[in-house]
Amino acid sequence: MKPTPASHLGAFLRARRAQLDPQECGLPATDSARRVTGLRREEVAALAAISVDYYTRLEQGRVRASAPVLATLARALRLDDDQQRYLYELAGRTADRPRRRAPQRPRPAMRRLLDQLTHTPALVLGKRLDILAWNQGATALYTDFAAKPAAQRNYLRLLFTDPAIRQLHLDWEHDARDAVAALRLEAAADADDPELARLVGELSVRDTDFRTWWAEHRVRSAAYGTKHYRHPLVGDLTLDCDTWAAPDGSGQRLMVLTAEPGTPSHDTLRILASWTAETADTEDLKR
């Protein structure tokens, strides 16, 4: 029997997943020996946010892949440009191949606002809750974002995978569920975003709570609220969290954390900002 395009696609998918290292794809290490080289079907399906049955039928050539599924598979299998072109050709969907998306950059006005907020933590969030820019206050409160790889600078990813960020949130479950609900709301506007599918797939594999909460389809804009922190240097903080959306439809938001004047949290935030400024000045003198 002459091989069909679908069978060639299945062979390519099997070969590609065999070439990947599970830990490089964000999968947790296990003590048990792996019976297959590379990724399992279940792991590819989870990273691509599709069902195992659907992915199995793709490998077996029993179903035609849709354009959105191809986009998520391309990200899950970490395909380069040539491999992506080959994938779409095998699937007979060359016209559906997504164009390369321009990298996100903070709007100049957002960055100017950020630079002027010298006494309060602030972040510029992009699509998928990616952290595009931050001020010294945000570094002091959360972490040194500049020291993290750009691909890891995502608010939701840090909430679920960074132990220090997780411990910082006194009501972590509440804050994490709200963040998942905000991402779920955003997903409705760009369901075909392959980076979104990759993020959801990675966190679904790594964290049971995320997988459960994502499946609930709870949505919330999370435009404002109150957050409770326990900072390792200055102790407890209760801060109002407000976000303002850019008016240009870019999806960028300015997230600002403030405290009511006269409260212990306001004084503590001032101490943290002062300490951060002194540390920055000391570092500048050493250079």
Side-chain angles (χ1 to χ4, degrees):
M1 181 180 295
K2 184 179 179 180
T4 64
S7 65
H8 286 304
L9 175 62
F12 176 63
L13 293 175
R14 290 192 296 273
R16 180 56 187 164
R17 67 178 170 88
Q19 297 166 1
L20 294 175
D21 181 273
Q23 293 188 44
E24 289 181 358
C25 294
L27 298 171
T30 60
D31 295 330
S32 59
R34 300 178 69 89
R35 292 183 296 176
V36 297
T37 303
L39 303 184
R40 304 183 181 98
R41 284 176 174 171
E42 294 80 2
E43 292 168 335
V44 175
L47 289 171
I50 59 178
S51 72
V52 178
D53 177 67
Y54 184 80
Y55 179 74
T56 300
R57 286 185 287 151
L58 277 176
E59 282 201 356
Q60 294 173 345
R62 295 191 291 122
V63 65
R64 186 172 185 237
S66 65
V69 167
L70 290 175
T72 61
L73 284 174
R75 291 295 179 181
L77 295 172
R78 297 178 176 243
L79 304 184
D80 60 26
D81 284 347
D82 290 339
Q83 291 169 327
Q84 288 186 47
R85 187 180 305 112
Y86 184 61
L87 175 73
Y88 278 82
E89 287 176 352
L90 289 178
R93 291 191 175 274
T94 53
D96 296 324
R97 187 184 175 205
R99 297 178 180 178
R100 180 182 293 274
R101 300 188 180 211
Q104 298 184 87
R105 292 185 176 87
R107 296 178 68 247
M110 284 286 201
R111 187 174 287 281
R112 287 195 296 270
L113 280 171
L114 196 67
D115 292 340
Q116 293 175 32
L117 296 170
T118 57
H119 297 294
T120 187
L123 300 165
V124 175
L125 301 176
K127 294 181 178 179
R128 303 174 296 273
L129 304 184
D130 288 342
I131 299 170
L132 306 183
W134 55 91
N135 63 4
Q136 285 189 356
T139 297
L141 178 63
Y142 287 110
T143 187
D144 184 1
F145 295 108
K148 296 186 178 296
Q152 298 300 313
R153 293 177 202 150
N154 176 275
Y155 186 76
L156 194 67
R157 180 182 278 113
L158 291 174
L159 266 179
F160 279 91
T161 65
D162 189 308
I165 297 292
R166 192 171 183 135
Q167 292 173 13
L168 176 69
H169 291 76
L170 276 175
D171 196 354
W172 176 84
E173 180 175 336
H174 174 273
D175 294 343
R177 292 192 72 171
D178 274 359
V180 172
L183 187 69
R184 173 58 88 173
L185 182 63
E186 182 179 322
D190 194 4
D192 296 338
D193 180 5
E195 289 291 347
L196 173 65
R198 179 178 175 180
L199 174 65
V200 171
E202 174 193 335
L203 295 180
S204 295
V205 170
R206 298 180 65 170
D207 194 281
T208 303
D209 286 332
F210 177 87
R211 185 164 62 248
T212 300
W213 298 337
W214 184 257
E216 291 175 350
H217 285 262
R218 176 174 172 261
V219 295
R220 186 175 186 275
S221 66
Y224 62 92
T226 302
K227 295 186 182 296
H228 304 279
Y229 299 102
R230 177 158 292 161
H231 194 276
L233 294 178
V234 296
D236 290 359
L237 290 152
T238 298
L239 303 177
D240 291 325
C241 179
D242 295 272
T243 60
W244 286 271
D248 63 349
S250 65
Q252 293 185 19
R253 285 151 289 176
L254 181 67
M255 172 178 159
V256 182
L257 295 145
T258 59
E260 181 72 24
T263 63
S265 291
H266 182 264
D267 297 337
T268 302
L269 198 58
R270 287 280 186 172
I271 293 170
L272 183 61
S274 174
W275 176 82
T276 304
E278 291 175 3
T279 302
D281 290 341
T282 301
E283 292 298 321
D284 288 340
L285 290 173
K286 291 179 179 178
R287 293 191 181 103

